[in-house]
Amino acid sequence: MSNETELQKHIRNWQSALGNQRRLSPHTVENYGRDVAQFIGFLTHYFGRPVRLADMEKLVLRDLRAFLAARRQADAAESRSLARSLSGIRSFARHLAKQGVAVSAAFELIKAPKTPKSLPRPVAANDVFAMLEQATAQAKRPWEGARDVALLVLLYGCGLRITEALSLTYADRPQAEQTSLRIIGKGGKQRNLPLLPVIADAVAQYLAAVPFTFQPADPLFRGTRGKAFSPRQAQMMVARLRGACGLPESVTPHALRHSFATHLMAAGGDLRTIQELLGHANLSSTQIYTLVDEARLHAVYDKAHPRAHMPTQTKAEKA
């Protein structure tokens, strides 16, 4: 007989729904699950007893604020991390409500900590090219260098999230005769991206060098033992290459997606089109790249324009 409580049963069903119905990535499901586990663990200590399903209705704002305060103090969690934790807890509360379980209004009333707004930090095109050179030069095996080049070119040339790129199968691979690439993004939403010949060529060179055989459903990008190349491995690869090129820590796989969008914006790309290419649900997520381009123009002006460094005249001097 199972010792699973009603609360634990609902948590398990909620996580299953996140992956199967809402089509969230395994990484997001894992993070949300960890957030709720931390919340339940806090309440257990806070109440001095095991948490019951009925407690979800009795919580007040003070309880949720106490959880956030404890996270900030114990884990030195930043506002961005706390906001994500609150998002996971709210998601679970909404799931309970849909299942007919009474939940406290405090879950919706509590305000998320304000997070500092920071502009995306794209990678300059010449720095991307330098990383591609290092990927080939540093590879222990030629096929690994070809894989890293293909992955970097795909991220930069299509603006993919790293999970989107690594979820491609052999059947999904970019090929020379294709003009577009079909991607399944967040929430299971499909989008078609223009496919540059250089991307298909880089993937073809990798496949010609890789020592493994492929079935249609096999992951396109493979690690040294033939298993799927993981996001963590991709992050470590980029960290190694940025170190070799003397680039800042802001250069990550996701920064290449920022580069794709920023460079399109700088070239006169239409905001709506860039939104579709990135797979953003809201235009506001894409509009931040207009600020990046504006900041870049100001920096260029301040550096190059002869009047940028001229002292400002006072009204008396002008008179």
Side-chain angles (χ1 to χ4, degrees):
M1 184 175 180
S2 174
N3 293 323
E4 187 179 45
T5 67
E6 280 296 304
L7 180 61
Q8 292 170 337
K9 177 182 176 181
H10 278 287
I11 292 175
R12 176 170 54 79
N13 291 340
W14 164 65
Q15 288 186 285
S16 177
L18 289 178
N20 298 330
Q21 297 175 20
R22 293 185 55 190
R23 300 294 182 88
L24 297 185
S25 71
H27 181 68
T28 300
V29 174
E30 180 183 354
N31 285 339
Y32 272 17
R34 187 182 302 117
D35 294 332
V36 170
Q38 288 177 334
F39 181 56
I40 298 301
F42 165 79
L43 291 179
T44 299
H45 177 75
Y46 190 64
F47 293 153
R49 60 168 175 77
V51 181
R52 296 184 290 267
L53 185 62
D55 292 323
M56 296 298 104
E57 182 183 10
K58 300 174 184 177
L59 295 172
V60 296
L61 279 171
R62 181 179 63 252
D63 302 328
L64 298 185
R65 288 172 181 155
F67 165 69
L68 295 178
R71 278 285 322 277
R72 190 183 290 277
Q73 183 176 4
D75 304 333
E78 298 180 354
S79 295
R80 195 180 303 278
S81 178
L82 293 177
R84 197 217 56 212
S85 289
L86 189 55
S87 177
I89 294 166
R90 278 177 172 158
S91 173
F92 176 57
R94 288 166 183 164
H95 171 81
L96 291 178
K98 289 180 179 178
Q99 301 304 310
V101 178
V103 295
S104 169
F107 287 107
E108 297 299 333
L109 293 175
I110 190 169
K111 293 182 179 179
K114 291 185 177 180
T115 57
K117 292 185 178 180
S118 58
L119 294 179
R121 300 179 66 180
V123 188
N126 59 327
D127 290 334
V128 176
F129 299 146
M131 291 173 65
L132 294 176
E133 292 179 359
Q134 285 297 323
T136 300
Q138 289 193 5
K140 293 181 180 179
R141 305 171 185 83
W143 77 265
E144 292 179 4
R147 175 202 61 204
D148 295 347
V149 167
L151 180 57
L152 293 173
V153 169
L154 187 60
L155 294 173
Y156 178 57
C158 287
L160 300 186
R161 301 176 179 92
I162 186 61
T163 52
E164 293 172 344
L166 296 181
S167 67
L168 290 174
T169 65
Y170 180 74
D172 299 327
R173 69 192 184 282
Q175 300 182 67
E177 63 272 17
Q178 292 178 250
T179 58
S180 65
L181 179 67
R182 185 175 66 91
I183 294 295
I184 306 298
K186 283 187 175 181
K189 294 180 180 178
Q190 177 180 313
R191 66 186 192 275
N192 291 308
L193 303 174
L195 183 62
L196 300 173
V198 66
I199 298 174
D201 183 59
V203 171
Q205 291 186 42
Y206 155 59
L207 290 174
V210 68
F212 308 114
T213 57
F214 288 84
Q215 296 298 320
D218 287 341
L220 175 61
F221 292 102
R222 313 276 280 272
T224 54
R225 296 182 179 180
K227 295 183 179 180
F229 199 57
S230 71
R232 178 58 182 159
Q233 288 174 305
Q235 291 164 355
M236 292 174 63
M237 177 266 289
V238 171
R240 185 183 75 251
L241 297 180
R242 76 177 178 230
C245 296
L247 301 176
E249 291 186 0
S250 60
V251 176
T252 63
H254 202 70
L256 295 175
R257 175 173 162 86
H258 292 324
S259 302
F260 169 83
T262 305
H263 297 166
L264 279 181
M265 186 70 67
D270 173 74
L271 194 62
R272 286 288 184 184
T273 300
I274 296 175
Q275 176 192 4
E276 292 179 8
L277 293 175
L278 292 174
H280 283 162
N282 300 311
L283 186 62
S284 59
S285 300
T286 315
Q287 285 175 325
I288 194 169
Y289 293 105
T290 64
L291 301 178
V292 175
D293 193 42
E294 181 180 335
R296 183 189 66 83
L297 290 175
H298 277 297
V300 172
Y301 176 86
D302 290 339
K303 182 178 180 180
H305 199 286
R307 294 193 64 183
H309 305 286
M310 291 179 65
T312 304
Q313 287 182 313
T314 65
K315 290 184 178 179
E317 290 172 332
K318 289 180 181 179

PDB file of all heavy atoms in Angstrom, residues 95-102:
ATOM      1  N   HIS A  95      -2.814  24.737 -10.273  1.00  0.00           N
ATOM      2  CA  HIS A  95      -3.135  23.348 -10.609  1.00  0.00           C
ATOM      3  C   HIS A  95      -4.115  22.777  -9.589  1.00  0.00           C
ATOM      4  O   HIS A  95      -5.098  22.105  -9.961  1.00  0.00           O
ATOM      5  CB  HIS A  95      -1.861  22.512 -10.636  1.00  0.00           C
ATOM      6  CG  HIS A  95      -2.097  21.036 -10.753  1.00  0.00           C
ATOM      7  ND1 HIS A  95      -2.368  20.414 -11.951  1.00  0.00           N
ATOM      8  CD2 HIS A  95      -2.133  20.057  -9.800  1.00  0.00           C
ATOM      9  CE1 HIS A  95      -2.554  19.125 -11.753  1.00  0.00           C
ATOM     10  NE2 HIS A  95      -2.410  18.878 -10.455  1.00  0.00           N
ATOM     11  N   LEU A  96      -3.854  23.046  -8.312  1.00  0.00           N
ATOM     12  CA  LEU A  96      -4.756  22.558  -7.262  1.00  0.00           C
ATOM     13  C   LEU A  96      -6.158  23.122  -7.453  1.00  0.00           C
ATOM     14  O   LEU A  96      -7.153  22.401  -7.329  1.00  0.00           O
ATOM     15  CB  LEU A  96      -4.221  22.956  -5.883  1.00  0.00           C
ATOM     16  CG  LEU A  96      -2.938  22.257  -5.403  1.00  0.00           C
ATOM     17  CD1 LEU A  96      -2.523  22.812  -4.047  1.00  0.00           C
ATOM     18  CD2 LEU A  96      -3.130  20.751  -5.331  1.00  0.00           C
ATOM     19  N   ALA A  97      -6.233  24.422  -7.767  1.00  0.00           N
ATOM     20  CA  ALA A  97      -7.540  25.059  -7.954  1.00  0.00           C
ATOM     21  C   ALA A  97      -8.307  24.407  -9.105  1.00  0.00           C
ATOM     22  O   ALA A  97      -9.527  24.195  -9.021  1.00  0.00           O
ATOM     23  CB  ALA A  97      -7.367  26.550  -8.192  1.00  0.00           C
ATOM     24  N   LYS A  98      -7.586  24.070 -10.183  1.00  0.00           N
ATOM     25  CA  LYS A  98      -8.231  23.424 -11.326  1.00  0.00           C
ATOM     26  C   LYS A  98      -8.745  22.030 -10.965  1.00  0.00           C
ATOM     27  O   LYS A  98      -9.682  21.534 -11.589  1.00  0.00           O
ATOM     28  CB  LYS A  98      -7.256  23.338 -12.496  1.00  0.00           C
ATOM     29  CG  LYS A  98      -6.959  24.679 -13.158  1.00  0.00           C
ATOM     30  CD  LYS A  98      -5.990  24.513 -14.317  1.00  0.00           C
ATOM     31  CE  LYS A  98      -5.703  25.848 -14.988  1.00  0.00           C
ATOM     32  NZ  LYS A  98      -4.725  25.706 -16.104  1.00  0.00           N
ATOM     33  N   GLN A  99      -8.095  21.426  -9.969  1.00  0.00           N
ATOM     34  CA  GLN A  99      -8.519  20.085  -9.533  1.00  0.00           C
ATOM     35  C   GLN A  99      -9.614  20.144  -8.469  1.00  0.00           C
ATOM     36  O   GLN A  99     -10.002  19.122  -7.913  1.00  0.00           O
ATOM     37  CB  GLN A  99      -7.312  19.313  -8.986  1.00  0.00           C
ATOM     38  CG  GLN A  99      -6.180  19.124  -9.979  1.00  0.00           C
ATOM     39  CD  GLN A  99      -6.616  18.442 -11.249  1.00  0.00           C
ATOM     40  OE1 GLN A  99      -7.268  17.407 -11.215  1.00  0.00           O
ATOM     41  NE2 GLN A  99      -6.261  19.013 -12.404  1.00  0.00           N
ATOM     42  N   GLY A 100     -10.091  21.362  -8.195  1.00  0.00           N
ATOM     43  CA  GLY A 100     -11.165  21.508  -7.219  1.00  0.00           C
ATOM     44  C   GLY A 100     -10.708  21.603  -5.786  1.00  0.00           C
ATOM     45  O   GLY A 100     -11.525  21.527  -4.859  1.00  0.00           O
ATOM     46  N   VAL A 101      -9.395  21.781  -5.572  1.00  0.00           N
ATOM     47  CA  VAL A 101      -8.857  21.916  -4.219  1.00  0.00           C
ATOM     48  C   VAL A 101      -8.876  23.394  -3.829  1.00  0.00           C
ATOM     49  O   VAL A 101      -8.431  24.253  -4.600  1.00  0.00           O
ATOM     50  CB  VAL A 101      -7.417  21.370  -4.132  1.00  0.00           C
ATOM     51  CG1 VAL A 101      -6.846  21.573  -2.728  1.00  0.00           C
ATOM     52  CG2 VAL A 101      -7.383  19.896  -4.519  1.00  0.00           C
ATOM     53  N   ALA A 102      -9.368  23.709  -2.652  1.00  0.00           N
ATOM     54  CA  ALA A 102      -9.415  25.096  -2.180  1.00  0.00           C
ATOM     55  C   ALA A 102      -8.007  25.581  -1.851  1.00  0.00           C
ATOM     56  O   ALA A 102      -7.252  24.903  -1.136  1.00  0.00           O
ATOM     57  CB  ALA A 102     -10.303  25.211  -0.949  1.00  0.00           C
TER      58      ALA A 102
END
